[in-house]
């Protein structure tokens, strides 16, 4: 067997097994035994086990979106300078967006191995399309007369970009970030396939235990909402002129 | 050493994966034959079947509702909120919910996938229909078109690009999530990925390659459908605006 | 120049002349030049208006001065140096630039917009602050608006902020491309007047583009009329242009109502005004009535103790014993000696009245303007021939 894959086998074996019902064995209450809709007692006693995976997933999402944003920004600035590149970048990020993340994880395994790196690469690749598209649209929507006025005042390309174009593109850029982040929280639930743990690991560990599904799934959605709120606040703080204009 | 061996090992694993696709072999678990074009075709068919049914079901529900709301300009909170909420739903949770609460099987998987397909189609249809040029709608009313005619002859054709982008997002979500359908007892191409103890590493990689290809083919086909459905005048107008 | 001269911080800047030397512009892919061998010189401190039909190269000519458009052939001198020898960024920071769409930065406050160029030039904070304050006052923007965003301003206010921003680094030259084009006509006239008053203080060399010949005549010390193909049809003072159009094209462009247009060149003070019978508040009406028969104006104008007009006596008022403090007919419109004659006429016509009191800069009565005086002037031969003392522009 090939060394790279061999290395992954050991770690992956437990995952490859069919979901075990380990939770039931440790629990004796009738609610759990009968697998009722939601066992509040069990949830209260076992909530701890979800904290670390949730934090891990939050970190994974933050890192992935940050990487995705950096790369997308780089691509957007390149194609802003050199519009000929835009169709290529749009196509490329579109392909990365289309490839299902589970497939992406396993395509990367032989190259990057089992672990968080692989998850970050796949998740950030997935965000590129949305973020790139929004940055490009944001820059394209900057009023021509504001740019003309800037140039007429002797701003260099750089001045214009940093002082006029990017600030005015902030609303669209953050809108893209919000969509990308929320989607990434959901997708990161699958990142345990790549060895990055997270809430998905908890779900997968017992697919038939209702309370488990509700807690883990609920936490993932809650996390998406929290991320969205944080970005919304950032957006409002970064664009005071939008609210002023509306009043 | 490592720098050299890595790409070679990498190549090797991919050739192994292609071999798995093309030729049958004995399963890791012994006694049965797995891989080869026969099984690939069988799993691909199931994958397309659940995905196709789920997409059709999503369209049947989301398109009329989105169009009706958009035409009246009502229910903005609902239409937009649904789209946002839809993005936050973890694919794995949907399948797990199915397994734990509803039960496994093809019909249930299709229903679960519709949960992911409906929001983007409904939201985009709503937005697209609502956005259609008021002048065009006013003109249509002026020449005596009935409301249903306005919707089907003016608003929907002009809304095609935006609706189709919603459909494509839905399709991508559905095809991707169908990959983990084997957890709910429906054997799609994802089975190669999820059941490594049966198919081995080469089977896992083969599954990943096949799923990626399938998703890209579906996306390209839908892009083609969009091109066919987009009214010629609208495409020209956009080209002009871009130039 | 007044005490709060805007140049106080930077010391007065000598506004340089701008000279076009056989300037040609050919855009890539175009057969015809957009501007053909333009040759003209704008003396320092004067307003030169470029006017002409759409596509005649007005914007092109203006944008070559700050190298927003590159010169194909020929040269442009600012002062004695060629713009080709200057870096575009440096050149632009030394020139004000105002466009029709104004182009205020929507994400920056009024103060930050105005401070753009000083900050690019690396001025320290205090100096920038002081300059912003000075400019707000100069363009008559309420300092309370300094922290507003452009979306919170009216069109006219935005326009004034645009002008303030262009003036920020105290440039010698201002380039203005249809600066009042987007402002509605009623506000445009006010902005034009304000701008002329401002120019009287700052004395910049201004290149001003418009396609409105009336605006050109009102604003320009000199007018360059361009025609299709970017050729210069005539370069002259407004009066010359109206009296001696170089050819049919200019004559057509200036319009058949040339005499009427000359009104734009005159102030109310340039014409002999009529006198109305005057009456003080409290005086017996019989005295006023006695003056009526031989008066030029058939109505009695009531004035206060300082000789400010209060209104016209109505027929009812004349029947009363004494002259009332609030006469029956309002004095509006009250014109000023400094008003442009064309605006005065339009005020008269708008108010549907034949007579209007004219006051001096202190608001004291100086005479009465009537529609008859103007129409007499328009039908007299001097309207088209004799060079009347063109209104001293800008207002002192
Ligand atoms: N960037 C450009 N590239 C190619 N051709 C141009 C460009 N800018 C202007 N032109 C052409 O040059 C000619 C002069 O244009 P310019 O904008 O100077 O006219 P203008 O007198 O300012 O007209 P308007 O009153 O409509 O503003 C026109 O025929 C125009 O089409
Ligand atoms: Mg122009």
């Amino acid at each position: 067997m090939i060394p790279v894959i061999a290395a992954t086998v050991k770690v992956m074996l437990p995952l490859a097994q069919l979901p075990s019902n380990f939770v039931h064995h440790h629990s004796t209450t009738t609610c759990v035994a009968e697998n009722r809709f939601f066992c509040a007692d069990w949830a209260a006693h076992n909530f701890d086990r979800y904290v670390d995976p949730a934090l891990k997933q939050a970190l994974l999402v933050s890192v992935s979106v940050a990487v995705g944003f950096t790369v997308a920004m780089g691509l957007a600035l390149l194609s802003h300078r050199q519009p000929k590149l835009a169709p290529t970048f749009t196509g490329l990020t579109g392909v990365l967006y289309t490839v299902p993340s589970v497939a992406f994880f396993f395509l990367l395994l032989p190259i990057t191995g089992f672990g968080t790196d692989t998850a970050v690469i796949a998740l950030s690749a997935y965000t590129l399309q949305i973020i790139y598209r929004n940055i490009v649209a944001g820059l394209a929507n900057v009023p021509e007369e504001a740019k003309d006025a800037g140039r007429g005042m002797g701003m260099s390309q750089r001045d214009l970009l940093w002082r006029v174009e990017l600030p005015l593109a902030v609303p669209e850029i953050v809108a893209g970030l919000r969509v990308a982040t929320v989607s990434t929280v959901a997708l990161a639930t699958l990142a345990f396939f790549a060895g990055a743990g997270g809430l998905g690991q908890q779900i997968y560990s017992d697919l038939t235990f209702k309370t488990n599904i509700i807690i883990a799934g609920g936490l993932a959605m809650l996390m998406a909402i929290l991320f969205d709120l944080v970005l919304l606040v950032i957006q409002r703080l970064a664009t005071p002129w939008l609210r002023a204009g509306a009043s | 050493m490592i720098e050299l061996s890595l790409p070679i090992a990498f190549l090797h694993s991919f050739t192994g994966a292609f071999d798995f696709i093309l030729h049958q072999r004995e399963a890791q678990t012994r006694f049965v034959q797995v891989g080869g074009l026969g099984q690939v075709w069988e799993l691909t068919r199931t994958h397309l079947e659940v995905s196709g049914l789920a997409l059709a079901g999503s369209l049947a529900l989301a398109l009329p509702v989105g169009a009706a709301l958009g035409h009246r300009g009502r229910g903005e909170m609902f239409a937009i909120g649904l789209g946002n909420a839809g993005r936050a739903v973890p694919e794995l949770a949907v399948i797990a919910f199915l397994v734990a609460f509803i039960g496994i099987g093809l019909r249930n998987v299709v229903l679960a996938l519709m949960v992911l397909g409906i929001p983007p189609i409904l939201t985009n249809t709503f937005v697209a229909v609502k956005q259609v040029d008021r002048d065009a709608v006013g003109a249509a009313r002026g020449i005596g078109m009935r409301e249903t005619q306005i919707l089907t002859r003016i608003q929907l054709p002009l809304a095609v690009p935006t609706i189709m982008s919603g459909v494509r997002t839905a399709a991508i979500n559905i095809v991707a999530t169908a990959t983990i359908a084997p957890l709910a007892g429906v054997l799609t191409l994802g089975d190669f990925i999820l059941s490594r103890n049966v198919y081995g590493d080469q089977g896992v990689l083969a599954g990943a390659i096949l799923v990626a290809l399938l998703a890209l083919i579906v996306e390209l086909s839908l892009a083609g459908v969009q091109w066919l459905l987009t009214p010629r005048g609208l495409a020209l107008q956009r080209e002009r605006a871009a130039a | 120049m007044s005490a709060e001269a805007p140049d106080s911080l930077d010391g007065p800047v000598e506004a340089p002349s701008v000279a076009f030397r056989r300037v040609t512009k050919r855009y890539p892919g175009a057969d015809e030049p957009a501007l053909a061998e333009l040759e003209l010189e704008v003396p320092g401190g004067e307003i030169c208006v470029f006017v002409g039909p759409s596509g005649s190269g007005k914007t092109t000519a203006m944008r070559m001065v700050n190298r927003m458009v590159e010169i194909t052939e020929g040269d442009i001198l600012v002062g004695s140096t060629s713009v080709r020898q200057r870096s575009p960024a440096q050149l632009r920071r030394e020139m004000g630039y105002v466009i029709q769409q104004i182009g205020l930065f929507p994400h920056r406050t009024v103060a930050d917009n105005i401070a753009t160029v000083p900050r690019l030039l690396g001025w320290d904070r205090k100096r920038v602050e002081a300059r912003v304050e000075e400019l707000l006052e100069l363009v008559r923007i309420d300092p309370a608006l300094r922290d507003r965003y452009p979306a919170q301003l009216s069109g006219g206010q935005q326009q004034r902020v645009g002008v303030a921003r262009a003036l920020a680094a105290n440039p010698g030259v201002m380039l203005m491309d249809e600066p009042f084009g987007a402002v509605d006509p009623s506000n445009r006239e006010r902005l034009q007047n304000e701008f002329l008053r401002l120019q009287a203080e700052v004395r910049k060399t201004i290149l001003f583009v418009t396609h409105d010949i009336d605006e050109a005549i009102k604003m320009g010390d000199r007018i360059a009329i361009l025609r299709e193909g970017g050729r210069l049809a005539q370069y002259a003072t407004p009066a010359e242009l109206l009296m001696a159009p170089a050819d049919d094209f200019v004559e057509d462009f200036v319009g058949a109502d040339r005499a009427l247009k000359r009104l734009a060149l005159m102030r109310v003070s340039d014409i002999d005004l009529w006198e109305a019978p005057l009456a003080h508040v409290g005086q017996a009406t019989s005295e006023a009535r006695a003056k009526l028969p031989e008066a030029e104006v058939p109505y009695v104008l009531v004035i206060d103790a300082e000789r400010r007009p209060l209104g016209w006596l109505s027929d009812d008022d004349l029947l009363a014993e004494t002259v009332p403090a609030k006469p029956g007919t309002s004095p509006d419109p009250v014109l000023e000696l400094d008003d442009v004659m064309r605006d005065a006429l339009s005020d008269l016509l708008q108010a549907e009245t034949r007579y209007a009191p004219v006051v001096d800069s202190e608001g004291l009565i100086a005479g009465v303007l009537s529609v008859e005086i103007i129409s007499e002037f328009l039908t007299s031969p001097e309207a088209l021939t004799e060079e009347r003392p063109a209104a001293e522009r800008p207002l002192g």
Side-chain angles (χ1 to χ4, degrees):
Chain A
M1 176 145 317
I2 304 134
V4 179
I5 293 190
T8 69
V9 167
K10 271 179 279 160
V11 202
M12 285 205 52
L13 266 177
L15 283 178
Q17 292 163 2
L18 280 176
S20 71
N21 289 345
F22 79 99
V23 180
H24 297 261
H25 305 310
H26 298 286
S27 232
T28 49
T29 62
T30 45
C31 176
V32 173
E34 290 173 12
N35 194 10
R36 293 207 193 122
F37 187 82
F38 187 72
C39 303
D41 276 354
W42 186 90
H45 281 106
N46 293 274
F47 193 72
D48 284 355
R49 69 170 77 206
Y50 296 96
V51 174
D52 271 354
L55 292 178
K56 200 165 181 199
Q57 183 160 343
L59 184 67
L60 178 65
V61 170
S62 311
V63 173
S64 302
V65 173
V67 171
F69 176 71
T70 311
V71 175
M73 181 61 86
L75 293 179
L77 293 185
L78 272 178
S79 62
H80 186 56
R81 272 266 164 111
Q82 197 53 259
K84 274 185 215 150
L85 294 172
T88 313
F89 290 168
T90 308
L92 207 68
T93 56
V95 168
L96 292 176
Y97 174 76
T98 305
V99 174
S101 45
V102 175
F104 209 149
F105 293 141
F106 286 97
L107 282 172
L108 283 174
L109 278 186
I111 307 166
T112 55
F114 192 70
T116 311
D117 292 355
T118 302
V120 168
I121 293 173
L123 290 177
S124 54
Y126 178 85
T127 65
L128 288 181
Q129 193 242 17
I130 299 163
I131 304 178
Y132 172 77
R133 195 183 54 192
N134 275 263
I135 300 178
V136 168
L139 290 176
N141 288 342
V142 173
E144 197 52 49
E145 61 267 20
K147 288 191 268 180
D148 192 59
R151 280 190 212 105
M153 281 184 271
M155 287 189 177
S156 63
Q157 288 286 342
R158 244 181 104 97
D159 287 331
L160 203 62
L161 184 68
W162 288 101
R163 292 170 191 242
V164 179
E165 298 180 285
L166 281 177
L168 283 174
V170 163
E172 261 142 317
I173 295 176
V174 181
L177 269 179
R178 286 174 62 189
V179 173
T181 308
V182 170
S183 312
T184 305
V185 174
L187 270 186
T189 315
L190 294 169
F192 70 94
F193 279 120
L199 289 166
Q201 184 107 55
Q202 296 300 309
I203 295 178
Y204 196 71
S205 67
D206 194 343
L207 278 173
T208 55
F209 182 31
K210 291 177 180 168
T211 309
N212 176 47
I213 306 303
I214 291 181
I215 298 177
L219 280 176
M221 292 183 68
L222 189 68
M223 189 186 302
I225 294 169
L226 287 179
F227 268 109
D228 199 40
L229 280 179
V230 169
L231 284 170
L232 183 68
V233 169
I234 291 178
Q235 173 172 22
R236 301 207 103 208
L237 291 179
T239 56
W241 68 93
L242 289 183
R243 268 167 300 142
S247 64
Chain B
M1 274 295 280
I2 281 202
E3 284 87 30
L4 258 183
S5 67
L6 241 164
I8 292 171
F10 169 65
L11 262 183
H12 195 119
S13 46
F14 276 91
T15 45
F18 281 111
D19 186 62
F20 178 92
I21 293 171
L22 296 173
H23 306 290
Q24 274 197 344
R25 60 179 67 188
E26 191 173 51
Q28 307 279 100
T29 45
R30 301 292 154 87
F31 311 124
V32 283
Q33 293 289 303
V34 294
L37 287 172
Q39 196 190 9
V40 166
W41 173 233
E42 197 183 311
L43 296 189
T44 305
R45 242 184 40 210
T46 318
H47 204 129
L48 282 175
E49 197 182 337
V50 274
S51 304
L53 286 173
L55 189 63
S58 306
L59 276 169
L61 261 170
L63 208 56
V65 175
L69 290 177
H71 179 71
R72 299 210 181 103
R74 297 249 184 85
E76 172 136 16
M77 289 274 276
F78 167 73
I80 306 289
L82 186 72
N84 290 337
R87 268 196 295 274
V89 175
E91 291 83 341
L92 182 64
V94 172
I95 296 294
F97 190 83
L98 183 77
V99 172
F101 287 84
I102 302 171
I104 58 175
L106 184 86
R107 204 193 59 203
N108 292 340
V109 169
V110 168
L111 284 177
L113 294 182
M114 281 169 61
V115 170
L116 300 166
I118 288 171
I121 299 177
L122 199 152
T123 306
N124 276 39
T125 306
F126 172 85
V127 171
V129 169
K130 193 175 166 223
Q131 263 175 357
V132 167
D133 193 357
R134 289 194 167 276
D135 292 344
V137 174
R141 246 180 225 130
I143 58 170
M145 277 192 172
R146 278 181 280 114
E147 293 302 306
T148 43
Q149 288 175 320
I150 293 177
L151 182 62
T152 55
R153 300 200 189 161
I154 311 286
Q155 289 179 308
L156 283 177
L158 290 177
V160 163
T162 311
I163 294 179
M164 277 307 294
S165 103
V167 173
R168 285 159 75 175
T169 306
I172 289 174
N173 286 348
I174 288 173
V175 170
T177 309
T179 309
I180 51 176
L183 297 178
V186 175
L187 298 190
T188 60
L189 282 173
D191 198 43
F192 288 142
I193 299 177
L194 298 172
S195 304
R196 121 185 269 134
N197 54 340
V198 178
Y199 302 107
D201 284 322
Q202 298 186 341
V204 171
L205 193 56
I209 293 170
L210 289 168
V211 168
L213 280 179
L214 185 71
L216 287 171
I217 290 169
V218 168
E219 162 68 8
L220 275 181
S221 318
L222 286 176
V225 170
Q226 173 170 353
W227 184 78
L228 286 176
L229 287 180
T230 304
R232 188 89 190 97
L234 194 59
L236 282 175
Q237 196 182 6
R238 296 197 159 201
E239 272 167 35
R240 250 193 130 165
Chain C
M1 198 166 280
S2 62
E4 84 271 359
D7 305 352
S8 55
L9 269 174
D10 321 50
V13 162
E14 195 56 39
S17 62
V18 174
F20 288 78
R21 297 272 181 255
R22 297 179 73 83
V23 177
T24 297
K25 174 67 193 181
R26 233 175 253 107
Y27 284 107
D31 305 332
E32 295 288 303
L35 198 70
E37 306 202 337
L38 180 65
E39 172 91 26
L40 60 81
E41 182 156 346
V42 186
E46 288 200 359
I47 301 181
C48 168
V49 180
F50 287 85
V51 66
S54 191
S56 56
K58 307 180 291 291
T59 299
T60 301
M62 197 200 79
R63 283 162 65 96
M64 280 190 289
V65 177
N66 70 352
R67 293 189 60 180
M68 299 281 278
V69 169
E70 285 302 327
I71 302 170
T72 311
E73 280 161 36
D75 201 357
I76 297 176
L77 305 180
V78 174
S80 54
T81 40
S82 159
V83 295
R84 289 166 177 266
Q85 284 159 13
R86 313 285 317 276
S87 90
Q90 274 303 316
L91 197 65
R92 292 172 197 170
R93 287 172 197 186
E94 290 165 23
M95 290 185 189
Y97 182 64
V98 184
I99 52 179
Q100 175 176 346
Q101 308 82 352
I102 310 174
L104 291 184
F105 301 132
H107 61 302
R108 296 201 183 173
T109 61
V110 167
D112 287 340
N113 261 288
I114 296 177
T116 307
V117 178
R119 287 197 187 133
L120 282 174
L121 292 172
W123 290 15
D124 67 54
R125 255 196 45 209
K126 263 196 174 152
R127 189 168 168 217
V128 174
E129 270 302 296
R131 183 63 178 156
V132 167
E133 226 131 88
E134 201 173 35
L135 283 160
L136 284 173
E137 193 175 322
L138 186 72
V139 301
R140 311 214 167 155
I141 289 273
D142 181 355
L145 300 184
R146 51 169 294 143
D147 292 324
R148 291 240 190 132
Y149 290 101
Q152 297 169 297
L153 301 179
S154 72
Q157 287 169 336
Q158 290 185 20
Q159 185 56 48
R160 278 179 290 204
V161 173
V163 171
R165 183 175 69 174
L167 286 169
N170 198 27
V173 178
M174 295 273 282
L175 307 175
M176 310 182 81
D177 194 349
E178 305 197 31
F180 307 130
V183 183
D184 64 279
S186 58
N187 281 323
R188 187 178 309 155
E189 196 177 301
R190 214 185 61 235
L191 283 171
Q192 288 168 344
N193 294 340
E194 267 176 32
F195 185 74
L196 287 174
R197 193 177 296 129
L198 187 64
Q199 164 70 349
E201 281 189 47
V202 297
R203 292 272 175 203
K204 307 294 183 192
T205 308
I206 296 172
L207 274 63
F208 188 109
V209 168
T210 179
H211 54 244
D212 174 1
I213 183 69
D214 293 312
E215 185 170 64
I217 290 169
K218 178 168 178 186
M219 306 296 287
D221 294 306
R222 285 154 197 269
I223 297 176
I225 297 201
L226 292 171
R227 59 193 299 173
E228 297 84 358
R231 278 166 297 137
L232 183 65
Q234 189 168 5
Y235 182 51
T237 64
E240 276 166 16
L241 206 64
L242 290 170
M243 284 181 300
D247 55 20
D248 290 351
F249 171 80
V250 176
E251 185 156 3
D252 260 12
F253 195 81
V254 171
D257 53 347
R258 280 194 285 141
L260 206 56
K261 288 204 165 74
R262 286 214 59 205
L263 293 179
L265 295 174
M266 300 173 60
R267 307 274 173 199
V268 173
S269 55
D270 293 334
I271 215 162
D272 294 328
L273 297 173
W274 285 359
E275 279 177 21
L278 301 175
H280 288 281
V281 179
Q283 205 179 352
T285 43
S286 53
E287 285 177 44
R289 266 201 308 265
K291 290 185 195 162
L292 273 175
E294 67 253 37
E296 282 174 305
V297 179
Y299 297 100
V300 179
L301 185 66
V302 182
I303 52 177
D304 66 9
E306 271 107 65
R307 298 181 65 80
R308 285 183 235 275
L310 296 174
W312 304 94
L313 284 186
S314 65
D315 291 344
D316 287 349
D317 292 335
L318 282 172
L319 297 176
E321 276 287 303
T322 56
V323 174
K326 281 214 174 100
T329 310
S330 112
D332 294 335
V334 178
L335 306 171
E336 290 185 27
L337 283 172
D338 271 342
D339 283 350
V340 172
M341 190 65 90
R342 198 194 57 195
D343 301 345
L345 176 60
S346 90
D347 286 348
L348 274 174
L349 297 176
Q350 239 164 40
E352 293 183 27
T353 167
R354 285 171 62 187
Y355 305 99
V358 177
V359 297
D360 61 18
S361 55
E362 257 99 69
L364 312 183
I365 187 74
V368 170
L369 183 69
S370 73
V371 177
E372 286 99 322
I373 308 179
I374 299 173
S375 73
E376 249 169 49
F377 167 77
L378 286 177
T379 48
S380 70
E382 64 170 346
L384 286 178
T385 50
E386 188 203 326
E387 167 107 14
R388 300 231 5 144
E392 221 176 85
R393 211 163 327 96
L395 291 170

